[in-house]
Each structure stands twice: as C-alpha cells, then as structure tokens.
Amino acid sequence: MTHIVSPFKPAYRPVLGVVTAATIAFASALSLTCTEAQAAAPQQKTQAPGFYRMMLGEFEITALSDGTVDLPVDQLLTRTTPAKVNKVLAANYLKSPLETSVNGFLINTGSKLVLVDTGAAGLFGPTLGKLVANLKAAGYQPEQVDEVYITHMHPDHVGGLAAGGQAAFPNAVVRVDKHDADFWLSDANYEKAPKDAKGMFEGARGAVAPYVAAGRFKPFDGDTELVPGVKARANHGHTPGHSVFMVESQGHKLLLWGDLMHVAAVQFPQPQVTIEFDSDSPAAAVQRKKLFAEAAKQGYLVGGAHLSFPGLGHLRAEGAGYRFVPVNYSVPRDAK
C-alpha cells in the first residue's frame, strides 16, 4: 500500500511558510522598484494638441491655439490703474504677467474652408506659432484653406500667413478691411512711426507680401458678406480697420471678435477699460460696450482671440458689466 503524505501535515508547514515569506519579500521588492521607476519618470510639460471642435448648425467650427504669451497686463491696461488690475486678477486667482491665449478659428461651411486669424508664427517669440501644427492635428492641411479672414493686422493675428517668405496657405485668398490694409501697408505711416513701432509694420507687410504678389490679397470695405454664412462687420477702434466676423448657419450665430477685448477678468466686469495696443481707445471702448450688450441680449456664441482657449462661450449681463460663460465641453455629432 502506497503511503500518501498530506501537504497539510505539520512537518511540511514550515517549508510552505518559508516559500510564502520569500515570495512576499520578492513581491515587495518588485513593487518598491516599480514605484521608484514611476516616480523618476520625467515630467512631460506639454498639452494635448490645441484644437477644439463644435458644430454651429451645419457648419463645423474648430478653435485653433497658436499658443500663449505672457503679457504685463497691469502695465498695459488703460482707464484703470495697476493696483486695480492686480486686485481683480488676484480675485480670479491670476496675476501679471498674465499667460494669454492667442486663438484662431477654422470654419468648414461644407463648400468653403475659412480661417479667421493666423496667429503670430515667429513674430512674438517661441511660445506662439503653433496654429498650423494644430490645424494639421485637427485633420486639415494648409493647402485646403480657401479663404483667410484677418480681424486686423497686428502681428499675433497676421504673422502666421507666411513661413520663410512663402504663403503658409498657398491656395487661399486673404481678406482684411481696406482701412487696416491702407494703414499698415502705407509707406508714409511706416516712415513716421516711432522706432519701436516699425516692427509692427514690417511684420504685417512681410506676412501679406506673398499673397499680394500672387494677386490673392483682396481687401473689403466695411460690412461685407464674404462667403455664404460669414459676414464681416466694421468694428474700427482697436486698429483703423478692425473687423469682427458673424458666422451663421440654420439660425445659430457665432461672432468672432478678434481683439474686441484682451483681459477677460478685467474687461468683462469693466468694459470701459482699454489697452495700450488700441489705436483709438475711446472708439475701441464704444465698440466693446456695443457688442457686449448685443451678445448678451441676443444670446449668440462669441469667440475671442485672447479668451482662454478655446475662447468660445456666451455673455451674460451682470451688474454694470458682463460675465463670460464658457461653452460646455462637447463632442461634435450630426448637425442639429
């Protein structure tokens, strides 16, 4: 008769105990090693590609980030004081210099691909110039852009038009209000501009030069329908030809307002506050108050070049000023 030894007899328990202890020790050491390896992983210091997509009726709207730039807004804002600006920023958990978004907007109407503003390219330093890369990440190519609409010819809006002296959007027609084109492309204005302002003129000229040479730079004059569903509206003040663009599809509206405002935390509650970048501060303030009131009353969407990315939302009247309500995050579905 074969003798079967039970593994649960006392004589075998110490051996089982030794194996278990060794296993536990090994597992603990492995766990510690893995934890140390994970803790030593380098921080990535990057965000996801900077695009955000939404539907406006039948139109697809894609917000594109050109990056951010630090602005000493307490020194730049006017009709206020640095102390007042810093107090408002602190109440919003912000401080100066303020990391400020630079945004562009791509409109796919189904028949036309339209880009509103192009970012700065290399004109404002290394933290900007990402718009074309984000356009590609969003599934488009620069060659597909049919029209580019410029709200005004400051470097952070027009700079991305060119790369290495060549058109960044080789098949596009570029449109801008003629008052802005006449001002920034004028030899007389360039010659009389202060030395520290000449770079603004040079950046604007260089950006549009490839399109001028190709016959694809076509200014418009004031309120103009540019393609079905997209209308330019004169909004002169920030620059001599500053424009906003109303986009409309199936009764849904989006106003892309360029530099109507720069510092949300300050200028929404205090629309009278202006900025040194304005060529005509009183006119810019009047335009801001007018459009803020209209947007709040009509309830349409707004998109801002310097609203925190993606820069899309609604305005609501609040006291003597306004409150910005960002869009709810959504994933585009079939047009409603």
Side-chain angles (χ1 to χ4, degrees):
M1 182 177 186
T2 304
H3 181 67
I4 299 176
V5 180
S6 169
F8 300 104
K9 281 190 174 183
Y12 286 84
R13 288 175 187 164
V15 175
L16 183 62
V18 169
V19 172
T20 303
T23 303
I24 292 173
F26 175 74
S28 298
L30 182 62
S31 174
L32 182 59
T33 301
C34 290
T35 302
E36 289 174 347
Q38 290 170 350
Q43 297 177 347
Q44 298 303 306
K45 307 291 187 182
T46 59
Q47 292 283 21
F51 68 89
Y52 178 78
R53 198 125 46 205
M54 58 166 283
M55 296 302 297
L56 185 81
E58 291 184 328
F59 291 179
E60 179 193 74
I61 308 296
T62 305
L64 299 170
S65 173
D66 193 52
T68 63
V69 61
D70 291 344
L71 294 179
V73 296
D74 56 339
Q75 303 300 314
L76 293 173
L77 291 176
T78 52
R79 294 188 173 185
T80 185
T81 67
K84 289 179 179 179
V85 170
N86 285 319
K87 183 177 180 180
V88 173
L89 291 177
N92 287 271
Y93 303 97
L94 301 169
K95 63 180 180 179
S96 185
L98 180 65
E99 187 173 359
T100 303
S101 292
V102 176
N103 308 320
F105 298 91
L106 191 66
I107 307 160
N108 189 336
T109 71
S111 60
K112 291 287 186 179
L113 190 61
V114 177
L115 177 62
V116 176
D117 286 339
T118 66
L123 298 182
F124 261 33
T127 61
L128 296 177
K130 300 174 174 61
L131 186 139
V132 170
N134 285 323
L135 181 145
K136 292 177 180 178
Y140 292 99
Q141 294 298 317
E143 294 79 8
Q144 293 176 289
V145 176
D146 297 300
E147 311 226 347
V148 179
Y149 302 156
I150 302 296
T151 57
H152 62 296
M153 294 179 69
H154 278 170
D156 53 323
H157 298 260
V158 76
L161 278 172
Q166 302 298 313
F169 306 96
N171 298 313
V173 171
V174 175
R175 312 296 305 275
V176 64
D177 188 290
K178 70 180 299 293
H179 296 84
D180 236 48
D182 290 348
F183 179 82
W184 293 105
L185 302 182
S186 163
D187 290 338
N189 288 340
Y190 174 74
E191 291 301 329
K192 68 183 181 183
K195 184 177 180 180
D196 60 357
K198 288 188 183 298
M200 302 274 280
F201 286 86
E202 292 163 359
R205 290 174 168 210
V208 301
Y211 303 89
V212 173
R216 290 188 284 107
F217 182 68
K218 299 181 178 181
F220 55 85
D221 190 0
D223 296 359
T224 306
E225 182 175 59
L226 301 172
V227 294
V230 184
K231 296 179 180 179
R233 290 172 55 178
N235 186 257
H236 306 167
H238 177 58
T239 63
H242 185 271
S243 301
V244 298
F245 298 98
M246 180 62 81
V247 186
E248 183 173 1
S249 174
Q250 296 185 328
H252 299 275
K253 294 182 179 181
L254 165 65
L255 183 69
L256 299 175
W257 69 27
D259 278 11
L260 186 72
M261 49 75 61
H262 292 77
V263 185
V266 176
Q267 290 177 294
F268 282 133
Q270 303 174 61
Q272 73 277 10
V273 172
T274 52
I275 196 165
E276 285 188 3
F277 302 143
D278 294 332
S279 62
D280 185 342
S281 289
V286 168
Q287 293 288 356
R288 179 162 44 257
K289 291 178 181 179
K290 175 184 174 182
L291 284 188
F292 277 11
E294 179 185 295
K297 182 178 181 179
Q298 295 189 22
Y300 55 63
L301 278 164
V302 300
H306 301 303
L307 287 167
S308 186
F309 182 78
L312 294 162
H314 295 85
L315 282 194
R316 186 173 69 203
E318 191 170 85
Y322 299 86
R323 180 180 177 185
F324 180 65
V325 183
V327 290
N328 184 52
Y329 180 83
S330 64
V331 177
R333 302 174 184 176
D334 293 338
K336 298 292 191 293

